[in-house]
Amino acid sequence: TLLCVGDFGDEPRKELAIRYSSDSTDPNWYRARRSDGQEGMIPANYVQKRSEVKLNAMPWFHGKIVRELAEELLHPRQDGLFLVRESTNYPGDYTLCVCFNQKVEHYRVIYKDNKLTIDEEEFFENLTQLVEHYEKDADGLCTQLKRSVPKKGSLDFSVDSKAFEMAGWVINKSDLKLGEVIGKGEFGDVVLGNLRGQKVAVKTLKDSSKAAQQFLAEASVMTSLRHPNLVQMIGVVFDWPSVYLVTEFMGKGSLVDYLRSRGRLHVTKKDQINFACDTCAAMAYLESKKVVHRDLAARNVLISDEATAKVSDFGLARDESFNQEGGKFPIKWTAPEALRHSKFSNKSDMWSFGILLWEIYSFGRVPYPRIPLADVVQHVEKGYRMEAPEGCPPEVYEIMRKAWDLQPELRPTFSDVLKSLEHLRTSTTG
């Protein structure tokens, strides 16, 4: 898939997401199809190829460890042995710990105007850039960085604006107009935007270095994923100290609000099975890519003007081999093994999908309505399961029950569940 900036026919020039083929005899022209289905030829220079944005591993970043533990880890004290940790004295800042002359020097890494700096002369977008700079040259430090102490367990990652630029995802700030606030995101407000005449949703970033990296990590995950039932990323705007993530606009809002505001009078059985199939199709795609969502719920599924459901909010999405430590997880939607042992997988997503199905068929009620939040996990582990919502087809409730098996390996796959739901869709009317 390419981004087309251009036009064909008599339409005004505008940005379009297109599928293309280069079967024209002239390599300077592409056959393109616009979002309304009209086809035509466009100049090759109107088309920009996009690629996936890769994350950089940070094996030397040890997160929240105290000064004493950092010094313990830095053995033997060879000049240039180093690690990076979160600052204990200055929350939001970092500390670079380096061995020199049998001692450990601790340099405060200051976070200022969305950049990182040690000396307020050299500024860096992320920790990876900072480390790479001092690996090449001591530049005022006691010594050049030579070898890191790698962290045990799951690693943290960084990403930078240049990677998005090189991969073709950067949008000029002048092309984007920001409107009213339409929601709250994990990192800041979500506002309605206008990108060269096209309505878009824009996630804005709260001012924090850590948030900036998480925000860009979310965006990088989105560059590798494309499915009709996933909210599509359009691009990223870098306007330091602000960063904006631009996605397609979903006119009918979140699934949970849609269900609650319309209720039984307006949401038909056909609508319900369509929403279930759409969401399951997106999750089967993520499963095939070995991507774990971690926060699947009706509030994170959005509805388009055409009433298509699309999964959104990849704020926590990661490859299944990574763990998120110390995150805040929505207890009623999260599988017991994920809550207890941080074991997130496509199978824990399946548990959440079972809860989402219950939300769809209860018209957006909050799960476990009669159980206090603090008691939910205990009840579930003892075998309690929610009853089928009124009017829920028995086949759908059966999927919920299988999704809520305490043993993750006994839960079905999304691709299997999709077959069952698609079969049910063909026989559902009204």
Side-chain angles (χ1 to χ4, degrees):
T1 302
L2 298 169
L3 183 73
C4 163
V5 185
D7 65 302
F8 49 90
D10 300 320
E11 288 293 313
R13 194 175 159 115
K14 59 182 176 178
E15 179 172 294
L16 304 161
I18 57 159
R19 297 202 178 279
Y20 80 103
S21 67
S22 53
D23 54 6
S24 155
T25 50
D26 187 339
N28 297 313
W29 289 83
Y30 283 102
R31 172 167 291 285
R33 184 168 69 249
R34 212 168 45 202
S35 49
D36 64 4
Q38 188 185 339
E39 294 200 4
M41 302 305 289
I42 58 166
N45 64 354
Y46 277 7
V47 177
Q48 179 183 14
K49 180 90 175 162
R50 292 172 153 197
S51 56
E52 185 181 335
V53 173
K54 298 286 188 190
L55 295 169
N56 306 308
M58 301 193 295
W60 32 258
F61 182 63
H62 289 248
K64 280 184 183 162
I65 63 168
V66 294
R67 183 186 182 108
E68 292 74 24
L69 179 54
E71 294 192 351
E72 229 174 87
L73 291 168
L74 288 161
H75 273 290
R77 297 236 195 282
Q78 294 167 336
D79 287 1
L81 186 68
F82 75 97
L83 61 80
V84 181
R85 60 184 172 89
E86 287 183 35
S87 173
T88 42
N89 297 333
Y90 303 96
D93 288 354
Y94 300 96
T95 306
L96 171 63
C97 311
V98 194
C99 293
F100 185 64
N101 282 345
Q102 299 300 305
K103 289 184 182 162
V104 178
E105 301 290 340
H106 297 265
Y107 292 92
R108 179 182 170 192
V109 179
I110 304 161
Y111 175 67
K112 191 175 181 180
D113 297 331
N114 254 19
K115 295 283 170 88
L116 299 170
T117 182
I118 289 176
D119 54 13
E120 301 212 30
E121 287 179 18
E122 293 283 349
F123 288 84
F124 307 95
E125 211 177 294
N126 57 41
L127 288 171
T128 302
Q129 286 181 3
L130 181 141
V131 165
E132 284 174 352
H133 175 80
Y134 291 108
E135 280 177 330
K136 290 186 189 113
D137 186 347
D139 196 16
L141 298 188
C142 57
T143 180
Q144 196 175 341
L145 304 183
K146 290 177 185 161
R147 190 169 64 84
S148 69
V149 176
K151 180 190 173 194
K152 288 187 176 139
S154 59
L155 299 181
D156 288 90
F157 293 81
S158 79
V159 67
D160 58 55
S161 58
K162 197 159 248 73
F164 284 93
E165 210 172 307
M166 302 281 288
W169 291 94
V170 173
I171 293 169
N172 287 331
K173 175 69 168 66
S174 58
D175 289 332
L176 182 67
K177 290 184 178 65
L178 299 178
E180 79 232 46
V181 174
I182 53 174
K184 297 276 178 208
E186 187 191 350
F187 302 106
D189 290 336
V190 180
V191 302
L192 180 62
N194 186 303
L195 180 66
R196 295 195 281 275
Q198 178 189 353
K199 262 189 185 178
V200 291
V202 184
K203 285 188 178 187
T204 61
L205 176 62
K206 286 176 194 158
D207 189 33
S208 137
S209 166
K210 205 169 179 187
Q213 283 302 300
Q214 280 183 298
F215 190 75
L216 293 178
E218 169 181 347
S220 76
V221 169
M222 292 178 80
T223 65
S224 66
L225 304 171
R226 185 172 293 274
H227 187 276
N229 298 112
L230 287 179
V231 172
Q232 183 59 45
M233 183 169 98
I234 295 168
V236 184
V237 175
F238 294 103
D239 183 34
W240 302 113
S242 301
V243 183
Y244 306 105
L245 175 60
V246 183
T247 67
E248 64 178 311
F249 174 69
M250 303 291 282
K252 289 189 157 70
S254 78
L255 174 57
V256 72
D257 292 341
Y258 187 95
L259 293 165
R260 286 173 184 173
S261 61
R262 288 162 180 79
R264 290 176 193 277
L265 280 176
H266 299 287
V267 178
T268 64
K269 283 191 164 23
K270 193 72 176 169
D271 291 332
Q272 288 172 312
I273 192 66
N274 282 342
F275 295 151
C277 283
D278 287 351
T279 309
C280 193
M283 295 308 297
Y285 171 77
L286 292 186
E287 181 178 68
S288 74
K289 295 282 188 184
K290 295 190 166 45
V291 170
V292 179
H293 190 287
R294 296 170 180 250
D295 195 13
L296 182 61
R299 65 182 169 274
N300 286 333
V301 174
L302 301 180
I303 308 299
S304 73
D305 286 328
E306 298 75 39
T308 300
K310 301 193 183 195
V311 174
S312 79
D313 202 347
F314 295 88
L316 300 177
R318 293 292 180 277
D319 181 285
E320 60 184 314
S321 60
F322 308 154
N323 266 338
Q324 167 139 334
E325 289 160 19
K328 294 175 185 168
F329 297 112
I331 287 169
K332 290 184 171 186
W333 284 263
T334 307
E337 75 278 3
L339 284 171
R340 294 273 190 219
H341 313 291
S342 275
K343 285 190 176 164
F344 286 88
S345 64
N346 298 118
K347 295 297 190 184
S348 63
D349 278 350
M350 176 50 73
W351 179 288
S352 307
F353 181 70
I355 304 291
L356 186 147
L357 283 177
W358 191 90
E359 289 183 276
I360 290 173
Y361 283 91
S362 66
F363 297 89
R365 286 185 75 193
V366 176
Y368 304 101
R370 286 174 294 280
I371 300 176
L373 188 61
D375 300 339
V376 169
V377 184
Q378 207 178 347
H379 273 67
V380 164
E381 288 181 335
K382 284 182 178 166
Y384 174 81
R385 296 295 180 269
M386 287 188 287
E387 291 171 11
E390 187 190 332
C392 173
E395 302 92 328
V396 173
Y397 186 58
E398 180 63 18
I399 291 168
M400 291 183 211
R401 295 289 304 201
K402 285 177 176 169
W404 299 333
D405 199 299
L406 279 181
Q407 292 177 265
E409 63 277 9
L410 296 182
R411 296 171 205 155
T413 64
F414 282 102
S415 72
D416 284 345
V417 169
L418 184 58
K419 287 174 197 152
S420 308
L421 290 173
E422 290 283 14
H423 181 70
L424 189 60
R425 172 147 66 177
T426 57
S427 59
T428 302
T429 53

